[in-house]
Amino acid sequence: MKKHLLRLPVQFILTCLGLFLFSGAGSLLMYDHELVIHIAKYLHTLELILKDLLDPGNILIRVEADGKDYPIFPMLLKLFGYSFLLLASAFLIAVVSAALLSYLSMLLPRRAHRFFLRILDLLDSLPDVLVVVILQLFIIWLFKKTGILFFDMYALGEERIYVLPIICLAVMPIAFLIKNFLFQLSEEGDKPYVEFSFSKGFSKAYTLWVHLFRNVWISFYYHMKPIFLLMLSNLLIIEILFNINGFMAAMLSVAVSEPSAFFIGMLMIYVPFFILFSLGQLFITKYTGIHEEVES
């Protein structure tokens, strides 16, 4: 435990250093008849980033909605709050839905369970963009049939839309989440305490919900980072397809033009989630005795 606590600051500093070096990568490669690695320009860009960090109030970012430049603060904070409200809401809906569907699928007869797994494989093979387009077309079809536009489908200017982006963002990783839950449930199902529960006369439904899922949630926590990264990349797709003036779209636009803003934006993503995951890992290690490395 103490060794892990000492390793966290080193891990944090090295990751921040890596993000800093990555933020200037846009100036490292140049094309002039052939691809050239421009070390001098890259080092100059890193130097400019350090200077900008000393006075971040002078950093400007362009908002695509109106084409104007704004100071990075508070504009980036506003975009961050909106985008990560969408992300957090979708993540909660996706996890709860996946857990319930996984639980119900484990209660199905064997043939029905296999059919459910085939449907999951089919859904998991669909491109994320296709899933969003299908949902958009479904809303358009409903509008033509009923004359009612159930959800706003496109953000205009600084307008903010919530429901359909959250639904799409939650649906996109749900097959992956269900397969993750089912895999962990199958691993837990082979352990002796499950047979002991059945021998005590407890039903399959009770054993699944009370015993298996309690341990699965702990294992699931250690798989949250790849799921978070998956949904973070999906957030960019959602912002582009729904014309949302959001945080990820802003990061895409400043990646090359404003490396200082890009570095600050990456820190805004990394720092809070590093703290969250680290505290969660320390809590689980202390109160359950289970210790696994969660890479940043």
Side-chain angles (χ1 to χ4, degrees), residues 14-24 262-263 266-267 270-271:
L14 290 177
T15 304
C16 289
L17 179 60
L19 294 176
F20 171 70
L21 297 175
F22 178 71
S23 63
F262 183 66
F263 175 59
M266 288 193 295
L267 287 181
Y270 172 69
V271 172

Side-chain angles (χ1 to χ4, degrees), residues 33-286:
H33 302 295
E34 61 180 5
L35 195 63
V36 179
I37 299 176
H38 205 307
I39 300 294
K41 187 173 181 181
Y42 174 66
L43 295 176
H44 180 65
T45 301
L46 295 180
E47 182 182 351
L48 292 177
I49 293 173
L50 287 174
K51 290 180 179 178
D52 287 339
L53 292 178
L54 296 176
D55 189 12
N58 291 328
I59 303 175
L60 300 177
I61 59 171
R62 174 157 294 187
V63 176
E64 297 297 334
D66 55 15
K68 296 180 181 179
D69 292 331
Y70 294 90
I72 189 171
F73 297 113
M75 178 54 69
L76 207 57
L77 290 174
K78 290 171 62 178
L79 298 177
F80 182 87
Y82 173 43
S83 292
F84 281 85
L85 175 61
L86 299 180
L87 182 67
S89 303
F91 179 77
L92 182 62
I93 292 171
V95 170
V96 172
S97 301
L100 289 174
L101 289 172
S102 301
Y103 172 70
L104 293 174
S105 73
M106 292 293 288
L107 301 177
L108 293 174
R110 182 171 297 179
R111 183 174 296 179
H113 182 71
R114 288 177 179 173
F115 179 72
F116 179 73
L117 292 178
R118 290 177 184 173
I119 294 176
L120 279 183
D121 290 334
L122 175 63
L123 293 175
D124 200 27
S125 65
L126 293 176
D128 293 335
V129 175
L130 181 61
V131 173
V132 178
V133 171
I134 289 174
L135 287 172
Q136 288 178 326
L137 291 176
F138 178 69
I139 297 300
I140 293 172
W141 179 81
L142 282 178
F143 176 69
K144 288 183 176 181
K145 291 294 183 181
T146 64
I148 301 173
L149 184 61
F150 290 92
F151 309 113
D152 291 328
M153 295 181 54
Y154 206 67
L156 299 175
E158 296 186 3
E159 179 186 3
R160 292 187 172 185
I161 58 175
Y162 293 92
V163 178
L164 195 56
I166 289 174
I167 292 174
C168 291
L169 194 56
V171 167
M172 290 161 75
I174 204 164
F176 174 80
L177 287 169
I178 293 174
K179 291 172 77 171
N180 187 282
F181 270 116
L182 291 177
F183 175 76
Q184 293 176 44
L185 284 170
S186 64
E187 283 197 332
E188 288 292 324
D190 295 331
K191 294 185 177 179
Y193 73 86
V194 176
E195 294 183 6
F196 180 74
S197 177
F198 288 148
S199 68
K200 286 288 187 179
F202 293 118
S203 66
K204 183 177 181 180
Y206 176 85
T207 302
L208 274 172
W209 191 253
V210 176
H211 296 293
L212 267 75
F213 259 97
R214 181 178 59 187
N215 294 328
V216 162
W217 282 116
I218 296 174
S219 299
F220 177 75
Y221 173 81
Y222 289 104
H223 293 83
M224 280 178 61
K225 282 198 174 181
I227 294 168
F228 167 73
L229 292 175
L230 172 67
M231 295 192 70
L232 196 62
S233 62
N234 287 343
L235 179 60
L236 176 59
I237 296 172
I238 292 295
E239 290 184 358
I240 293 173
L241 292 180
F242 286 94
N243 194 40
I244 292 174
N245 180 32
F247 183 82
M248 296 302 293
M251 287 296 95
L252 182 63
S253 66
V254 303
V256 176
S257 60
E258 289 292 340
S260 304
F262 183 66
F263 175 59
I264 292 173
M266 288 193 295
L267 287 181
M268 290 176 65
I269 297 173
Y270 172 69
V271 172
F273 287 99
F274 174 83
I275 295 172
L276 179 65
F277 284 121
S278 298
L279 290 177
Q281 182 177 343
L282 292 173
F283 176 82
I284 290 175
T285 302
K286 181 176 180 180

